[in-house]
Amino acid sequence: ATSSDRSLGNLTQFEYLALNNPLNLADGHARQELTPGQAGIIDELPALWADSVKRPVEEVEAAAHRAYFELLGQRDYRAADSQVLSCYSSSVAMEIFARSLATVTDSIMLVHPTFDNIPDILRGVGLRLVPLEEEPLHAGTIDREQLRSVGCVFVTTPNNPTGRVLSQQRLAELAALCAELDVLLTLDTSFRGFDPAAHYDHYAVLNASGCRWVVIEDTGKLWPTLELKIGWLVSSAHAGLPLARIYSDILLGVSPLVLSMVRRFSEDAAGGGLADLHRFIAGNRAQLRGALAGLPEVRIIDPDSKASVERIDLGKRSALDVWAALRDQNVFALPCQKFHWARPDEGDHSLRIALARPTATVAALTKALRSVLLDS
Ligand SMILES: N=C(N)NC[C@@H](O)CC(=O)C(=O)O
């Protein structure tokens, strides 16, 4: 890897390098082919446009979030007059959340590791970050004094890149602790669609706990919709943040056409498309794992992950060097260093591969990766 490779500031800058290459397995966006059912929805877009023009946007918006949330098992999100704000993307929702949070606290406990635009956005509004390791979060105990010292605890579930899902039991325990200590609980559920373990009704658990909560949902990781997507910023009535006010600084609303398209993709998914997607991702995952099996010092780090990404331990090899060797063959993966936002060196030997890609693309990466790993 050259010094300029090392100078790349964040994961998304690595993803930009891959963006115009056919063998882009760097970003976690959905780039597999449309299924026949989804292609049919694209043919419907002119009719969806005409329908969206005729209806009040709040009606189109409610139909969209109802279809998407119910597809993924989330029913209680509208209970107790919680608030649903539609944003252009989950990162826009994240920025609005961060600006709002910074008006009421100076610190936040954040899951570690996780995708680096989350800590970067939070640091960007001046918040002090306290890492929350996955072990205590999922299996151990969270330090009460540390939790009491922050204004919010932020958990990405399923986590990116590990795929770890916060169980219903653990969410209930964390929400109860947040209610007791009056700490805001925020979830980023962008990868939720891929893992049925994340389809229990999180909002029912959150509402039952009485804690103040915010959830960021993302339609952008599931379907290949050319970056047409919605990030939903959902919050409890008593969250205590100026979310609507900050939202109004950023946007008036999102496109009813995109909302209608999300509704139709959700309906197609509910009719069997989601199960097909899970099988498709599992097939790509099995292909990658099969091809890497037996390679010296190569290990799949998250054997239980169902997310549309796979993390690989490269042993003593430098992930940046393996990334550069692939890049020299015009094949693009993602080095994991920047996911480890509190201790970057922990990611020096792991690489993330996107699985929401055509199977032939995953096969081409797998071939190139095997040759690089056998040479190193
Ligand atoms: N606003 C940003 N930086 N977007 C990139 C992000 O969506 C990529 C991602 O989440 C992933 O590759 O896992």
Side-chain angles (χ1 to χ4, degrees):
T2 65
S3 57
S4 70
D5 297 338
R6 297 181 195 286
S7 68
L8 288 167
N10 63 32
L11 293 168
T12 305
Q13 289 174 344
F14 276 96
E15 295 177 345
Y16 285 142
L17 295 178
L19 211 47
N20 298 297
N21 288 277
L23 294 180
N24 163 14
L25 295 102
D27 64 60
H29 293 196
R31 300 180 191 282
Q32 70 272 20
E33 296 103 331
L34 289 166
T35 64
Q38 292 169 344
I41 296 169
I42 302 308
D43 294 341
E44 275 176 47
L45 284 177
L48 282 177
W49 182 298
D51 182 64
S52 305
V53 168
K54 282 195 315 239
R55 296 170 186 273
V57 68
E58 66 181 3
E59 182 185 309
V60 175
E61 189 173 21
H65 54 65
R66 187 165 52 248
Y68 183 75
F69 281 60
E70 291 187 357
L71 166 72
L72 302 181
Q74 308 309 304
R75 282 172 175 63
D76 224 19
Y77 69 99
R78 292 309 307 264
D81 60 23
S82 58
Q83 178 181 245
V84 182
L85 297 172
S86 302
C87 305
Y88 301 135
S89 73
S90 59
S91 292
V92 169
M94 182 69 209
E95 178 66 24
I96 292 168
F97 164 73
R99 275 187 51 185
S100 302
L101 185 67
T103 67
V104 298
T105 183
D106 65 357
S107 59
I108 180 169
M109 185 181 277
L110 172 64
V111 65
H112 184 270
T114 199
F115 194 80
D116 66 349
N117 82 316
I118 296 174
D120 288 349
I121 286 175
L122 294 167
R123 285 176 172 139
V125 297
L127 289 166
R128 174 173 64 85
L129 307 188
V130 175
L132 172 57
E133 304 304 329
E134 288 197 319
E135 211 37 51
L137 170 63
H138 290 278
T141 50
I142 294 175
D143 182 317
R144 286 171 67 94
E145 285 324 300
Q146 254 198 356
L147 187 54
R148 196 195 299 274
S149 76
V150 297
C152 174
V153 56
F154 190 110
V155 175
T156 310
T157 177
N159 198 11
N160 181 3
T162 67
R164 276 192 89 168
V165 176
L166 197 58
S167 71
Q168 181 162 354
Q169 176 62 33
R170 295 297 295 189
L171 176 61
E173 289 166 8
L174 179 57
L177 191 53
C178 288
E180 181 197 338
L181 302 179
D182 192 23
V183 172
L184 180 74
L185 174 52
T186 300
L187 302 177
D188 176 335
T189 62
S190 299
F191 273 116
R192 177 203 292 287
F194 292 102
D195 194 334
H199 293 181
Y200 65 88
D201 191 342
H202 289 51
Y203 296 91
V205 175
L206 292 169
N207 289 331
S209 76
C211 78
R212 294 182 293 118
W213 54 264
V214 171
V215 180
I216 296 173
E217 305 267 0
D218 181 4
T219 72
K221 297 282 192 309
L222 271 182
W223 305 307
T225 53
L226 299 182
E227 302 305 322
L228 294 173
K229 55 190 169 181
I230 302 292
W232 271 299
L233 180 55
V234 196
S235 56
S236 58
H238 60 323
L241 298 183
L243 292 168
R245 170 69 179 76
I246 303 291
Y247 179 93
S248 68
D249 286 350
I250 308 294
L251 73 160
L252 172 61
V254 300
S255 163
L257 178 64
V258 175
L259 287 164
S260 299
M261 185 203 71
V262 165
R263 171 178 58 81
R264 293 290 300 113
F265 270 77
S266 301
E267 290 164 352
D268 174 75
L274 190 62
D276 294 344
L277 177 60
H278 291 165
R279 274 190 292 277
F280 175 77
I281 297 295
N284 280 350
R285 171 169 267 119
Q287 179 190 191
L288 177 63
R289 291 183 175 182
L292 298 181
L295 288 180
E297 284 192 56
V298 173
R299 181 176 61 90
I300 298 297
I301 303 175
D302 313 296
D304 301 333
S305 175
K306 299 275 188 305
S308 58
V309 292
E310 186 82 300
R311 210 169 38 139
I312 300 167
D313 179 354
L314 302 169
K316 295 188 184 57
R317 303 175 184 89
S318 145
L320 215 44
D321 288 346
V322 171
W323 171 84
L326 288 171
R327 185 268 323 269
D328 293 347
Q329 299 184 42
N330 284 320
V331 179
F332 292 84
L334 192 64
C336 289
Q337 190 199 57
K338 308 265 185 206
F339 283 99
H340 298 264
W341 52 268
R343 298 182 303 279
D345 57 351
E346 287 177 6
D348 283 352
H349 303 280
S350 53
L351 199 65
R352 192 194 76 173
I353 310 296
L355 297 176
R357 295 297 188 274
T359 299
T361 303
V362 177
L365 164 109
T366 302
K367 187 164 174 280
L369 183 54
R370 269 185 66 85
S371 72
V372 166
L373 295 175
L374 286 167
D375 283 354
S376 56

